[in-house]
């Protein structure tokens, strides 16, 4: 998934903790093989139609729900647009109007149809997925679940800015987490926290600073995006909602959040 995963576990039995961490990382690698767009052989890069793994189904259902509720501000079918934008970040040249129009025409969450009863997926030809805004949050949830199952509920899994936390560390109220845009610490347990923002990944072109998050309406990276941190019961929600809130105007973002009880956002 193009990032480093970090795991913290509190417990008494170091050997058992090591085994639990190994199992958690194995689960992470399994998800990488399914959901990473960096791997040509990943499930999402080979997908055409039909039945998919339980993991891909779970992620697609949530991705499509958030795409619908955010009017496409968050959209995992933006693969062509994200790829074009990655190229622009690399070469420091904006894509042409024609290139952007073509990439946008090949994108759109309506290109994917989920048949809940048959549990199958139908996808328009030429669709390219990019789960970069949701896979890390889901992976953090799933790795934390492995640690919990193995008897280590006082654990944390961090995939860059996507973090899932279990029970509090011994003697503490929660895990102290400081998003990189603020000096304020959050104290959290049994939830997920995701930060989106351009403090780490951005590029300057023609004197403008652009984010690695793309605006589906322009096909360009976001300009002047301000950071946002989302706290939710699961990373599967926190991660994509943080990305969606980055794209949407504040009012629309607040409207989106009201549809997800138990989720809150912190922003400057
Ligand atoms: P990070 O990768 O830094 O955690 P995000 O969770 O916001 O940040 O995800 C950004 C990634 O998601 C991009 O690198 C790209 O792969 C993908 N992406 C970019 N724009 C969008 C968008 N509007 N909707 C869905 N995914 C996006
Ligand atoms: Mg995200």
């Amino acid at each position: 998934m193009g990032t480093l995963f970090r795991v913290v576990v509190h417990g008494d039995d170091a050997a058992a903790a090591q085994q639990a961490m190994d199992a958690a990382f194995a689960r992470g690698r399994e998800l990488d093989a399914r959901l990473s767009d960096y791997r040509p052989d990943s499930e999402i890069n080979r997908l055409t139609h039909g039945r998919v793994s339980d993991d891909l189904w779970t992620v697609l259902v949530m991705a499509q729900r958030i795409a619908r509720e955010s009017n496409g501000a968050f959209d995992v079918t933006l693969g062509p647009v994200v790829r074009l934008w990655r190229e622009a970040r690399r070469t420091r040249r904006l894509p042409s109007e024609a290139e952007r129009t073509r990439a946008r025409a090949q994108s759109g969450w309506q290109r994917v149809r989920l048949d809940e009863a048959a549990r199958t997926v139908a996808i328009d030809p030429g669709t390219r997925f990019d789960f970069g805004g949701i896979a890390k949050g889901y992976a953090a949830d799933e790795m934390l679940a492995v640690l919990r199952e193995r008897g280590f509920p006082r654990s944390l899994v961090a995939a860059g800015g996507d973090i899932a936390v279990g029970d509090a560390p011994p003697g503490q109220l929660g895990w102290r987490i400081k998003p990189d845009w603020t000096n304020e610490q959050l104290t959290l347990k049994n939830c997920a926290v995701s930060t989106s923002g351009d403090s780490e990944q951005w590029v300057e072109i023609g004197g403008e600073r652009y984010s690695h998050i793309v605006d589906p309406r322009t096909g360009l990276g976001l300009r002047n995006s301000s950071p946002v941190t989302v706290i939710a019961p699961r990373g599967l929600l926190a991660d994509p909602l943080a990305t969606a809130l980055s794209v949407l105007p504040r009012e629309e973002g607040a409207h989106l959040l009201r549809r997800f009880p138990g989720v809150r956002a912190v922003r400057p």
Side-chain angles (χ1 to χ4, degrees), residues 133 196 239-240 243:
S196 277
D239 187 4
T243 308

Side-chain angles (χ1 to χ4, degrees), residues 44-157:
I44 64 160
N45 281 339
R46 287 184 295 124
L47 184 64
T48 44
H49 62 267
R51 290 189 71 85
V52 298
S53 67
D54 288 350
D55 289 321
L56 183 48
W57 179 261
T58 301
V59 175
L60 268 177
V61 167
M62 183 60 83
Q64 290 298 88
R65 177 173 169 210
I66 295 181
R68 197 168 54 240
E69 309 243 9
S70 71
N71 288 319
F74 176 87
D75 185 343
V76 291
T77 72
L78 287 169
V81 176
V82 171
R83 265 154 233 260
L84 190 62
W85 186 241
R86 270 191 207 153
E87 181 67 11
R89 286 162 60 200
R90 204 174 56 77
T91 59
R92 292 176 181 257
R93 282 180 44 196
L94 294 185
S96 71
E97 179 97 45
E99 287 172 312
R100 286 191 279 138
T101 303
R102 199 177 325 125
R104 286 172 52 230
Q106 288 167 347
S107 307
W109 59 274
Q110 290 93 341
R111 301 172 69 92
V112 179
R113 288 164 304 278
L114 303 177
D115 184 332
E116 307 261 349
R119 233 175 139 296
T120 53
V121 178
I123 300 157
D124 288 355
T127 304
R128 297 223 64 171
F129 286 108
D130 184 322
F131 283 62
I134 190 168
K136 293 192 290 285
Y138 179 63
D141 290 343
E142 290 298 298
M143 289 170 67
L144 187 71
V146 170
L147 296 168
R148 195 189 286 284
E149 277 159 25
R150 298 209 166 213
F152 294 94
R154 297 169 185 242
S155 299
L156 169 150
V157 179

